[in-house]
Amino acid sequence: MNNESLTLYLSHFIDELTKAGVRHVVVSPGSRSTPMAMLMAEHPDLHLYLHIDERSAGFFALGMAKALRKPIALLCTSGTAAANYYPAVIEANYARIPLIVLTADRPHELREVGAPQAIDQNHLYGRHVKWFVDMALPETGDTMLRYARSNAARSVYIASQAPMGPVHLNFPFREPLIPDYEHAYESITQAGQTVQLQNVARELPEEELEGFAHELAQYERGIIVCGALDSTGFSEQVVKLSKALGFPVLADPLSQLRSGPFLSKEIIDSYDSFLRDQTVRRLLAADVIIRFGAMPVSKALTFFLQENRDAEQWVVDGGGLWRDPSYSATRMIACEETSFCRKLSEKVRRNHHSQWIEKWIAVNEKTKEWMRTVNDVEFLDEGKLFYQLHHALPEGATLFVGNSMPIRDVDSFFFKNSKQIEIMANRGANGIDGVVSTAMGASVFRQPLFLVIGDLSLFHDMNGMLAAKLHRLNVNIIIVNNNGGGIFSYLPQAEHPKHFEELFGTPIDLDYSLAAEMYGGDYQKISSWDEFQESVQKAVSHEGLSIIEVPTNREKNVMVHRQLWKNVSREITSMLLGERK
Amino acid sequence: MNNESLTLYLSHFIDELTKAGVRHVVVSPGSRSTPMAMLMAEHPDLHLYLHIDERSAGFFALGMAKALRKPIALLCTSGTAAANYYPAVIEANYARIPLIVLTADRPHELREVGAPQAIDQNHLYGRHVKWFVDMALPETGDTMLRYARSNAARSVYIASQAPMGPVHLNFPFREPLIPDYEHAYESITQAGQTVQLQNVARELPEEELEGFAHELAQYERGIIVCGALDSTGFSEQVVKLSKALGFPVLADPLSQLRSGPFLSKEIIDSYDSFLRDQTVRRLLAADVIIRFGAMPVSKALTFFLQENRDAEQWVVDGGGLWRDPSYSATRMIACEETSFCRKLSEKVRRNHHSQWIEKWIAVNEKTKEWMRTVNDVEFLDEGKLFYQLHHALPEGATLFVGNSMPIRDVDSFFFKNSKQIEIMANRGANGIDGVVSTAMGASVFRQPLFLVIGDLSLFHDMNGMLAAKLHRLNVNIIIVNNNGGGIFSYLPQAEHPKHFEELFGTPIDLDYSLAAEMYGGDYQKISSWDEFQESVQKAVSHEGLSIIEVPTNREKNVMVHRQLWKNVSREITSMLLGERK
């Protein structure tokens, strides 16, 4: 019987998926995926999240997996539905987020013969998944049930190994598509033989670490650079290493080093502002640079890395990939980052106190003094928004940051604090797409959550807000509405007015209060900083979707930013040159 | 100078694109694509359509290309932006729509080294484009400018050849990204040497056609099946062939045979209803079947083809692909369809008058008598909506039909008429995604245009409505709002209430008047058929976006449909059996 094989095969697959630790699946409705959807709904250990738009669904799962740091499953029907996952799959690939993408497909005999809703789904996501399997048609028999179980466990195994990432399993199904779901798991949960998964992190031998410790102790002018990184306990250990070596830590907002109990003066959080000046970069030139995590957001830091190509530059990556866009690496180290820092800091022996780190700390403090003057701006400035926010957010909050300008403003204005604020963003491919949905997904496991997002990015994934309504999520969205592409005002095209507004400014003049109403959210448009503070306070304990719109002005923002950076350049240059005299 | 090579290389490329006939490009804002965007905006022969959401942009271009039957260009920046085109690219691939997809990319030295917004864009769309080129970095020199021109012309050449489809050119750009746009085309439009393109259609030798004509004249019980097809003058010629052979033409709504001046009684437009009955299918069994175009929408017809596997089944496809999901083809003919029909009908000699075609005509008329009783339904039934619409739409209107239920209801209730109504739909991959944007794109060249779409499909591409606002398009949207996935009520899962509403019904309870307001559209919710008629009449001459929402009921719809089909089965069976006695 076809239904028996369909039911057995899939219930073994799903059961093993749960045994391997998958607890959540984001499902989009469809016909071909019916048997998997029904059997998933029936499994006692799986939570289903329904989402109509597969693009949003993909990012929603991504957000959940980002927060949970475990694989989340996705299920959709055949055809273009599956293609809508592509942006989220690519982001997951580059951001190293584990996703188990399950797509239903027509059976082999309906492929490439002009059958309806049948597209070639083999390797649909090309090189952007870690693993692809075109699954066999459902069959019973011991080997095929083991095959189903094995592929479930293996998909979790592969997705979870460093570097984590998405995998894609494509399931052809024949009609009839209704499984005997009601009794599917009664016998199976006992009977199925499961595979134990053990992922081992990359570790260096002790003698190599000894060598590194010895080598690093030779350098005075060293710095540590931390980008986005997901390694448990890393913050504590990298601060230890920094203290042991006497090297400052340049901490990207997504390094999670700007917030929390391991707050330390060695953490430099304003480098994006002072490294904009070429003279400053020259005066702070380093002899050795150790990098952890993704490339930081700061373009100034990228210049700094490029200009220090004579320095030793070490790249430590637990995923073993090649992260060196500045072509300055001298050593690639495929080692789990936290253990690298812990072991190395135990081995380092230094007996001189370094002026070097004090200089970085002083420059950092002076820079922040000047950057804090953004708070004196009276109109609704985007930089000030983040400065205010870093004071207003409560202990334990999560700040999800949109791409383009918000992530850059966080870098410039969201300083160190002790409040355990986690900062999240989609920095695998840096898209403005899918941000709303990713934040919605993260909110399932992170409360309270604030998303700060530009108006174009919000528009791009407005459909994502449906999740808040369907799944009663608590999400606070702060829209930085400069009515168009704010980042382009900082780029050279801003000097070419002829095509600027048409191609780059792109005002779309939408009334977001209507979107709020549509998705059952509260809405407030801010006209003063007092209102902003009040709204944020109110939002902290608000249940459901809350939208705070902050209307800003593209031209004024650029002016304020440039003036601040000019002040910082002047002050820090004179400070460093004065020191040398 | 980098800017000189950037400017020259791209202006040669763009200029050749226009010389090859491309007049329209849909642009999404981005930084890396700046030089192409600015130079396109500057070219006197190119019209730019800006779209923020690349997914909608892709479908918008698809809609324009569907209507224009010529390649439309698309431009976006690097990263996930390009991945958002994927659903539209896949639809274009299967629906045979020519698109020139242009993506900006980071230069080679910033690929796969952890640089921001750099993803692997090589073969990003996998097997779903006809051609992919990773273009060389901009360079001057005679050969490289010819290379740029040649690839422009060649992309149009390949996209336009039968079967038409999408091509993808990926352009790496280095900074600085601003071209010397102001004088770019002053000399170039004279100087560039262009390639003349000549696409030749597939034609059969006369003697083969003579053989076919002779062979077909042997059969009495023959039918012609026409699916979606885009071949100029086909309607007239296939009707000629039908008359010459005495074979009825089973005309899918997208064959464009149900409307226009070639209206003929040989055209059978209600087969989806009467072929649902197995006895009827048996009594109407054919000896020869000639198919043109895509597989029709009707599942009943698919059963009919499968059950007539003993018959000669010929598949004629000007694109030379293999369209045979029922595994019943006995002859594959790669020949341009219109010329096949014209030449064959001239060669066919028959001297007996066939009872066969009269029987089909009688069955068709009787079926329609019964189906027309849908008009007696008083509540807002979805079938009646299409029946009413086929009377209400004016001469020359375009009806864009959503997937899932609307296209099936058009098949059942939108009968032959003389009003030159073009029916369009996305039937390459049959997705419910991107339908709003495709209709918006088609509306640039088709007026008046009515889109009839289900609520989930509308939601999926709500962002697509921005085009109406930004580009002042005239589009009338009729939302068939059954608050969820209406089609699932017709499928076997409807009998399994346990998970039905959660997984398939999926009510989302959105107030679409808010979406209408957001995008500057008029909105009316219908509560009676009189209101419906009035609204459609008003919409015909309405400028801008107009939304008519028709609230319907999933359960009632199913009941009405099933009752009608039951009546048809009973009547036609008895008619055919009575005849035999």
Side-chain angles (χ1 to χ4, degrees):
Chain A
M1 246 200 76
N2 188 40
N3 277 19
E4 193 199 337
S5 58
L6 183 71
T7 306
L8 261 176
Y9 181 84
L10 284 185
S11 48
H12 273 275
F13 176 84
I14 293 164
D15 189 58
E16 182 79 15
L17 214 53
T18 63
K19 294 236 163 57
V22 176
R23 288 287 172 277
H24 308 272
V25 55
V26 182
V27 177
S28 297
S31 169
R32 193 58 49 169
S33 50
T34 296
M36 185 81 90
M38 290 181 89
L39 286 168
M40 282 178 153
E42 196 66 27
H43 199 288
D45 297 338
L46 269 182
H47 302 275
L48 266 64
Y49 296 80
L50 201 103
H51 225 313
I52 305 295
D53 180 344
E54 292 84 5
R55 180 172 66 177
S56 303
F59 281 106
F60 187 79
L62 178 89
M64 290 176 82
K66 265 176 118 76
L68 203 60
R69 289 161 194 165
K70 282 187 178 162
I72 302 290
L74 269 166
L75 173 66
C76 73
T77 190
S78 65
T80 49
N84 278 277
Y85 285 159
Y86 206 14
V89 166
I90 291 175
E91 173 63 23
N93 184 32
Y94 287 97
R96 308 186 180 186
I97 306 296
L99 290 181
I100 315 285
V101 181
L102 309 172
T103 56
D105 197 358
R106 307 264 143 165
H108 302 71
E109 65 275 17
L110 292 180
R111 296 177 177 178
E112 300 297 295
V113 287
Q117 210 173 324
I119 68 166
D120 185 352
Q121 296 182 186
N122 273 290
H123 295 282
L124 188 67
Y125 309 116
R127 305 176 200 178
H128 296 288
V129 287
K130 292 180 71 181
W131 193 50
F132 168 77
V133 188
D134 188 38
M135 295 288 289
L137 278 159
E139 276 186 71
T140 48
D142 187 49
T143 299
M144 292 317 287
L145 297 183
R146 281 171 182 273
Y147 166 85
R149 280 200 176 266
S150 163
N151 278 302
R154 193 167 169 186
S155 66
V156 174
Y157 188 60
I158 294 175
S160 314
Q161 270 172 39
M164 295 201 284
V167 300
H168 175 205
L169 278 66
N170 187 54
F171 283 85
F173 295 130
R174 282 203 187 106
E175 296 181 22
L177 298 167
I178 309 293
D180 306 324
Y181 60 93
E182 298 207 58
H183 309 287
Y185 296 104
E186 278 172 14
S187 56
I188 208 175
T189 42
Q190 316 302 324
Q193 188 178 340
T194 69
V195 186
Q196 299 296 315
L197 309 180
Q198 197 64 51
N199 278 332
V200 177
R202 294 176 168 88
E203 298 273 4
L204 281 179
E206 296 292 321
E207 56 274 22
E208 294 240 18
L209 284 161
E210 287 286 358
F212 288 170
H214 183 74
E215 191 174 339
L216 288 173
Q218 320 288 315
Y219 293 107
E220 177 152 325
R221 299 171 69 94
I223 63 168
I224 295 170
V225 174
C226 295
L229 180 63
D230 183 18
S231 175
T232 314
F234 177 73
S235 302
E236 188 179 355
Q237 299 305 330
V238 78
V239 169
K240 268 193 201 159
L241 182 64
S242 152
K243 286 181 196 289
L245 288 167
F247 294 174
V249 180
L250 277 53
D252 182 78
L254 300 175
S255 68
Q256 312 307 342
L257 281 161
R258 292 200 190 175
S259 202
F262 305 109
L263 211 60
S264 138
K265 64 183 182 350
E266 289 84 1
I267 294 174
I268 307 298
D269 52 354
S270 70
Y271 59 87
D272 178 60
S273 297
F274 65 76
L275 289 182
R276 282 170 188 261
D277 188 278
Q278 201 167 9
T279 309
V280 174
R281 291 201 297 272
R282 190 169 44 77
L283 293 169
L284 291 174
D287 295 327
V288 62
I289 299 169
I290 310 173
R291 284 213 300 112
F292 299 96
M295 273 299 284
V297 170
S298 168
K299 204 164 183 172
L301 180 56
T302 302
F303 287 137
F304 180 77
L305 295 177
Q306 281 171 356
E307 288 164 10
N308 281 275
R309 280 175 173 158
D310 292 337
E312 271 293 304
Q313 292 201 23
W314 298 8
V315 178
V316 184
D317 183 357
L321 296 187
W322 196 273
R323 279 166 158 170
D324 183 30
S326 53
Y327 290 91
S328 52
T330 54
R331 198 186 286 272
M332 281 289 173
I333 304 170
C335 177
E336 201 284 316
E337 297 87 350
T338 302
S339 112
F340 179 89
C341 292
R342 193 185 63 245
K343 292 186 180 171
L344 196 60
S345 58
E346 284 162 7
K347 295 184 199 306
V348 170
R349 298 282 174 271
R350 286 187 87 107
N351 34 24
H352 62 285
H353 184 70
S354 163
Q355 298 300 308
W356 168 250
I357 194 161
E358 296 305 331
K359 192 197 290 187
W360 278 85
I361 293 168
V363 165
N364 195 45
E365 288 309 317
K366 173 65 84 183
T367 300
K368 291 207 285 184
E369 257 172 49
W370 279 100
M371 294 303 284
R372 281 188 197 107
T373 63
V374 76
N375 212 21
D376 303 337
V377 176
E378 280 177 21
F379 62 85
L380 295 174
D381 173 77
E382 299 178 11
K384 179 166 176 178
L385 186 152
F386 286 94
Y387 185 78
Q388 293 251 322
L389 204 56
H390 111 275
H391 288 290
L393 287 182
E395 176 77 26
T398 295
L399 175 64
F400 203 106
V401 189
N403 279 321
S404 201
M405 281 315 293
I407 186 71
R408 289 178 171 82
D409 280 332
V410 160
D411 201 5
S412 302
F413 298 101
F414 198 95
F415 298 132
K416 283 190 286 192
N417 61 78
S418 59
K419 287 191 288 186
Q420 290 269 40
I421 291 169
E422 183 175 3
I423 304 182
M424 301 176 85
N426 279 349
R427 295 302 287 181
N430 303 1
I432 63 162
D433 50 333
V435 174
V436 172
S437 293
T438 315
M440 294 272 165
S443 81
V444 173
F445 305 110
R446 292 286 187 279
Q447 285 298 320
L449 182 138
F450 286 77
L451 165 65
V452 184
I453 187 168
D455 56 306
L456 291 190
S457 183
L458 179 93
F459 166 76
H460 211 293
D461 189 20
M462 210 142 56
N463 275 6
M465 288 204 255
L466 182 65
K469 178 177 149 90
L470 290 184
H471 308 298
R472 300 174 189 281
L473 306 174
N474 303 327
V475 183
N476 306 298
I477 301 180
I478 298 172
I479 311 176
V480 184
N481 188 357
N482 53 33
N483 198 19
I487 200 169
F488 298 110
S489 301
Y490 292 83
L491 298 180
Q493 48 262 61
E495 289 153 35
H496 299 264
K498 188 170 178 194
H499 301 296
F500 186 78
E501 278 299 295
E502 182 198 359
L503 293 177
F504 304 105
T506 61
I508 58 174
D509 298 304
L510 293 187
D511 177 353
Y512 297 103
S513 73
L514 297 167
E517 193 181 342
M518 190 161 209
Y519 297 107
D522 274 7
Y523 169 86
Q524 196 184 354
K525 188 185 253 178
I526 297 303
S527 59
S528 74
W529 289 111
D530 286 346
E531 274 181 36
F532 178 72
Q533 289 282 357
E534 273 169 39
S535 305
V536 171
Q537 291 318 320
K538 225 178 75 188
V540 169
S541 55
H542 179 269
E543 303 222 328
L545 175 65
S546 138
I547 296 181
I548 301 168
E549 181 175 342
V550 184
T552 64
N553 179 289
R554 289 188 240 142
E555 287 74 26
K556 281 188 182 173
N557 270 307
V558 177
M559 271 166 38
V560 170
H561 279 69
R562 293 208 168 128
Q563 188 56 52
L564 286 170
W565 291 323
K566 206 170 143 188
N567 294 344
V568 166
S569 286
R570 188 191 59 235
E571 288 299 311
I572 302 301
T573 312
S574 103
M575 176 181 164
L576 289 172
L577 288 175
E579 229 172 46
R580 295 220 301 183
K581 275 173 215 160
Chain B
M1 245 199 75
N2 189 38
N3 277 19
E4 193 198 339
S5 59
L6 183 71
T7 306
L8 260 178
Y9 181 83
L10 285 185
S11 48
H12 272 276
F13 176 82
I14 293 164
D15 189 60
E16 181 78 14
L17 214 53
T18 63
K19 294 237 163 56
V22 176
R23 289 287 172 276
H24 307 273
V25 55
V26 182
V27 178
S28 296
S31 168
R32 193 58 48 168
S33 50
T34 295
M36 185 80 91
M38 290 181 89
L39 286 168
M40 282 179 153
E42 196 67 26
H43 199 287
D45 296 337
L46 269 184
H47 302 276
L48 266 64
Y49 295 81
L50 200 103
H51 224 313
I52 305 295
D53 180 343
E54 292 84 4
R55 180 172 67 176
S56 302
F59 281 106
F60 188 79
L62 179 89
M64 290 176 82
K66 265 175 118 75
L68 203 60
R69 289 159 193 166
K70 282 186 178 163
I72 301 289
L74 269 165
L75 173 67
C76 73
T77 190
S78 66
T80 49
N84 278 279
Y85 286 158
Y86 205 15
V89 165
I90 291 174
E91 173 62 25
N93 184 30
Y94 288 97
R96 308 186 179 185
I97 307 295
L99 289 182
I100 314 286
V101 181
L102 309 172
T103 55
D105 198 358
R106 307 261 144 167
H108 301 73
E109 66 275 17
L110 292 180
R111 295 177 178 178
E112 299 297 296
V113 287
Q117 210 174 325
I119 68 166
D120 185 353
Q121 298 183 185
N122 274 290
H123 294 281
L124 187 68
Y125 309 115
R127 303 176 201 179
H128 296 287
V129 287
K130 293 180 70 180
W131 192 49
F132 168 76
V133 188
D134 189 36
M135 295 287 290
L137 278 160
E139 276 186 69
T140 47
D142 187 50
T143 298
M144 292 317 286
L145 297 182
R146 281 170 182 273
Y147 167 85
R149 281 202 174 263
S150 163
N151 277 304
R154 196 169 168 185
S155 66
V156 175
Y157 188 61
I158 294 174
S160 314
Q161 270 171 41
M164 296 200 285
V167 300
H168 175 205
L169 278 66
N170 188 53
F171 282 84
F173 295 130
R174 281 204 188 105
E175 296 181 21
L177 298 167
I178 309 293
D180 307 323
Y181 60 95
E182 298 208 59
H183 308 285
Y185 296 106
E186 278 172 13
S187 55
I188 208 175
T189 42
Q190 317 303 325
Q193 188 176 339
T194 69
V195 185
Q196 298 297 315
L197 309 181
Q198 195 67 49
N199 278 332
V200 176
R202 292 176 170 90
E203 299 272 3
L204 281 178
E206 296 291 321
E207 57 276 19
E208 294 240 20
L209 284 161
E210 286 286 354
F212 288 169
H214 183 74
E215 191 175 338
L216 289 173
Q218 321 287 314
Y219 294 107
E220 177 152 327
R221 298 171 69 94
I223 63 168
I224 295 170
V225 174
C226 295
L229 180 63
D230 182 21
S231 173
T232 314
F234 177 73
S235 302
E236 187 178 357
Q237 299 304 329
V238 78
V239 170
K240 268 193 199 160
L241 181 65
S242 152
K243 288 179 194 288
L245 289 164
F247 294 175
V249 179
L250 276 54
D252 182 78
L254 300 175
S255 67
Q256 312 307 341
L257 281 160
R258 292 200 190 175
S259 203
F262 305 109
L263 208 61
S264 137
K265 63 183 181 354
E266 290 83 1
I267 294 174
I268 308 298
D269 52 354
S270 70
Y271 59 87
D272 178 62
S273 297
F274 65 77
L275 290 181
R276 283 170 186 261
D277 188 277
Q278 202 168 9
T279 310
V280 173
R281 292 202 296 271
R282 190 169 43 78
L283 293 169
L284 291 174
D287 295 327
V288 62
I289 298 169
I290 310 173
R291 284 213 302 111
F292 299 96
M295 273 298 285
V297 170
S298 169
K299 206 164 182 173
L301 180 57
T302 302
F303 288 136
F304 180 78
L305 294 176
Q306 281 171 356
E307 289 164 9
N308 282 274
R309 280 175 173 159
D310 293 337
E312 271 291 306
Q313 293 202 23
W314 298 8
V315 177
V316 184
D317 182 356
L321 297 188
W322 196 272
R323 279 167 158 169
D324 183 31
S326 53
Y327 291 93
S328 52
T330 54
R331 198 187 285 271
M332 282 288 174
I333 304 170
C335 177
E336 201 284 316
E337 297 87 351
T338 302
S339 111
F340 179 88
C341 292
R342 194 184 61 245
K343 292 185 179 170
L344 195 60
S345 58
E346 286 162 4
K347 294 183 200 307
V348 170
R349 297 284 172 273
R350 285 186 89 106
N351 34 25
H352 63 283
H353 183 69
S354 161
Q355 299 299 307
W356 166 253
I357 194 160
E358 296 305 331
K359 192 197 289 186
W360 277 86
I361 292 166
V363 165
N364 195 45
E365 288 309 318
K366 174 64 86 180
T367 300
K368 292 205 284 185
E369 257 172 48
W370 277 98
M371 294 303 285
R372 282 187 196 108
T373 63
V374 76
N375 212 23
D376 303 337
V377 177
E378 279 176 19
F379 62 85
L380 295 174
D381 174 77
E382 297 179 11
K384 178 167 176 177
L385 186 153
F386 286 93
Y387 185 78
Q388 292 251 322
L389 204 57
H390 110 275
H391 289 290
L393 287 182
E395 177 76 27
T398 295
L399 175 63
F400 203 106
V401 189
N403 279 321
S404 200
M405 282 314 294
I407 186 71
R408 288 178 172 82
D409 280 331
V410 159
D411 202 5
S412 302
F413 298 102
F414 199 95
F415 298 131
K416 282 189 289 193
N417 60 79
S418 58
K419 285 192 290 187
Q420 291 268 39
I421 291 170
E422 184 174 3
I423 304 182
M424 300 177 86
N426 278 349
R427 295 301 288 180
N430 303 1
I432 64 161
D433 51 331
V435 174
V436 173
S437 293
T438 316
M440 294 273 166
S443 81
V444 173
F445 304 110
R446 292 284 187 281
Q447 285 298 319
L449 183 138
F450 286 77
L451 164 64
V452 184
I453 187 168
D455 56 306
L456 291 189
S457 183
L458 180 93
F459 165 75
H460 211 293
D461 189 20
M462 210 142 56
N463 275 6
M465 288 203 255
L466 182 64
K469 180 177 146 90
L470 291 184
H471 307 298
R472 299 172 191 281
L473 305 175
N474 304 325
V475 182
N476 307 297
I477 301 182
I478 298 172
I479 311 177
V480 183
N481 189 358
N482 52 34
N483 198 21
I487 199 168
F488 297 109
S489 301
Y490 292 83
L491 299 179
Q493 46 262 61
E495 289 152 36
H496 299 263
K498 190 173 175 191
H499 301 295
F500 187 77
E501 278 298 296
E502 182 197 359
L503 293 177
F504 304 105
T506 61
I508 57 174
D509 297 304
L510 294 186
D511 177 353
Y512 297 103
S513 73
L514 297 166
E517 194 181 341
M518 190 162 209
Y519 297 108
D522 274 8
Y523 169 85
Q524 196 184 354
K525 187 185 254 178
I526 296 304
S527 58
S528 74
W529 289 111
D530 285 346
E531 274 181 37
F532 178 72
Q533 289 283 354
E534 273 166 40
S535 304
V536 171
Q537 291 318 318
K538 226 178 74 189
V540 170
S541 55
H542 179 268
E543 302 221 329
L545 174 65
S546 139
I547 296 181
I548 300 168
E549 181 176 342
V550 185
T552 65
N553 180 287
R554 289 187 242 142
E555 288 74 26
K556 281 189 184 176
N557 270 306
V558 177
M559 272 168 35
V560 170
H561 279 69
R562 292 209 168 127
Q563 188 56 51
L564 286 170
W565 290 323
K566 206 170 142 188
N567 294 344
V568 166
S569 287
R570 187 189 62 233
E571 288 299 311
I572 303 300
T573 312
S574 103
M575 178 183 161
L576 289 172
L577 290 174
E579 228 174 46
R580 296 220 299 183
K581 275 172 208 162

